[in-house]
Amino acid sequence: METENKKLYKKRPITGMMVLNYLIIAVFVIICVYPFLNVLAYSLSGNRPILSGEITFFPKELQFKSYIEILGKNAIWTSMGITIFVTAIGTILGLLLTIGASYALSKKRLKGRGILTAFIMFTMYFSGGIIPTFLVVKNLNLVDSVWALILPSAMNVFNFIVMKTFFMQLPESLEEAAVLDGCNDLSCLLKIVLPLSLPIIATIGLFYAVAYWNEYFSALMYIQSPEKFTLQLRLRQLLFTEELNQLNNNTEGLGNQVMAESLKMTSIVVATLPIVAIYPWLQKYFVKGVMLGAVKG
């Protein structure tokens, strides 16, 4: 049967609509990929092509001076370690809280689940604001601590809604059969539900990881000690310091200005590449997880 389907697929003629679809997809791919390639090309190009505006997809007059400048600093590696720690712990904690809350509130037999869900949903639309949040973090003695970057945003309401919707779509007969075999709610979750939920777990985990990796404002607001700076905050400090140095030093003329521009592009690559490298490993789960968690409201 599969062989016949493959033969039928191969015999399908190429129509004008198919060509148009491919062209539209190609345009969107170029629009999405071009900024990344352009930033990478700028970070690897020499001074003259940057000044003359010749950079498009590929670097010209290849150089690695800006990468040596950024990656040669020990503070960058320290900040990267802190960011990896925040991302890993935050993602694990976020998944634990999201899975626990969404699984419990997806059960119709849970009394008061509608009120609890409404309370959680309320925080999605209304919040205390920056100052009350800062006061709460301060009163908990979390200022200048990496935990101030993890605990206040430990569970995302949107991720909770997606995962809760996914759990509600699972057949109840699976858990009923497990209960007849002697499983309790925790055993059903660990042995039945979670193995069937790998796509949505990978998707939500990626959401959390990207959010924690890119977190900047919380670090700027709560972290005071330079040795606790996250990668985003460290790169900001590095760029500001470099630009100030170049403004105070006029001996090298335009070459200094270009170096600042190249450093900016290199910092974007350094901050983006690690999280982008993870995505291909989770891609097969990502699309399936989003679709499964968004079919039903």
Side-chain angles (χ1 to χ4, degrees):
M1 187 66 180
E2 293 182 0
T3 305
E4 293 179 358
N5 290 336
K6 290 181 179 179
K7 290 181 179 179
L8 290 174
Y9 180 77
K10 290 181 180 179
K11 292 180 181 180
R12 289 178 59 186
I14 299 177
T15 62
M17 184 59 69
M18 292 176 62
V19 174
L20 179 62
N21 289 338
Y22 284 124
L23 288 175
I24 293 174
I25 293 173
V27 170
F28 276 105
V29 169
I30 293 173
I31 292 174
C32 294
V33 172
Y34 173 74
F36 292 98
L37 295 180
N38 184 253
V39 168
L40 182 61
Y42 260 94
S43 68
L44 294 171
S45 296
N47 293 349
R48 187 194 60 80
I50 294 177
L51 279 174
S52 57
E54 300 176 9
I55 310 301
T56 53
F57 285 96
F58 305 102
K60 296 184 178 181
E61 298 182 8
L62 188 67
Q63 59 84 27
F64 298 95
K65 188 176 180 180
S66 55
Y67 284 92
I68 295 173
E69 176 72 19
I70 287 183
L71 297 178
K73 298 180 181 297
N74 292 330
I76 291 293
W77 295 104
T78 301
S79 297
M80 185 172 290
I82 293 173
T83 302
I84 291 174
F85 173 82
V86 170
T87 302
I89 300 301
T91 300
I92 293 172
L93 181 61
L95 283 175
L96 289 175
L97 293 175
T98 305
I99 291 172
S102 56
Y103 178 72
L105 294 175
S106 66
K107 301 303 172 187
K108 297 180 180 179
R109 66 178 184 274
L110 179 66
K111 295 182 179 180
R113 74 185 187 104
I115 298 175
L116 294 174
T117 303
F119 278 135
I120 295 175
M121 293 283 293
F122 182 84
T123 64
M124 186 176 182
Y125 301 102
F126 305 97
S127 64
I130 296 175
I131 295 177
T133 303
F134 179 83
L135 292 176
V136 170
V137 173
K138 182 181 179 180
N139 290 333
L140 292 174
N141 296 321
L142 294 178
V143 175
D144 202 26
S145 169
V146 294
W147 293 104
L149 309 178
I150 298 173
L151 297 180
S153 55
M155 191 178 81
N156 182 277
V157 179
F158 173 79
N159 294 341
F160 160 78
I161 294 171
V162 174
M163 186 164 285
K164 176 175 173 289
T165 304
F166 176 83
F167 286 152
M168 292 177 65
Q169 296 175 18
L170 294 177
E172 295 182 3
S173 56
L174 293 175
E175 295 187 54
E176 292 174 356
V179 170
L180 292 177
D181 290 336
C183 291
N184 54 25
D185 288 332
L186 182 60
S187 299
C188 288
L189 175 63
L190 297 177
K191 296 180 180 180
I192 306 297
V193 176
L194 292 186
L196 297 174
S197 307
L198 292 181
I200 195 68
I201 292 174
T203 302
I204 299 302
L206 184 62
F207 285 166
Y208 277 119
V210 171
Y212 279 112
W213 183 270
N214 292 330
E215 182 57 53
Y216 165 74
F217 184 73
S218 295
L220 182 63
M221 187 164 55
Y222 300 129
I223 302 301
Q224 301 170 354
S225 303
E227 63 272 12
K228 296 180 182 179
F229 280 2
T230 60
L231 181 61
Q232 312 293 343
L233 205 56
R234 180 69 65 185
L235 292 174
R236 169 185 175 273
Q237 182 196 42
L238 175 65
L239 291 177
F240 280 0
T241 303
E242 189 67 28
E243 288 178 353
L244 288 174
N245 291 339
Q246 291 174 8
L247 287 174
N248 294 328
N249 182 7
N250 298 319
T251 58
E252 297 184 17
L254 291 175
N256 263 341
Q257 299 175 18
V258 175
M259 190 60 187
E261 187 68 21
S262 181
L263 280 175
K264 290 178 184 179
M265 299 303 178
T266 304
S267 66
I268 294 174
V269 175
V270 170
T272 306
L273 194 60
I275 200 69
V276 170
I278 298 176
Y279 180 77
W281 303 97
L282 300 176
Q283 184 180 9
K284 63 180 180 179
Y285 298 111
F286 184 77
V287 176
K288 183 179 179 182
V290 171
M291 293 301 294
L292 288 174
V295 172
K296 184 177 178 182

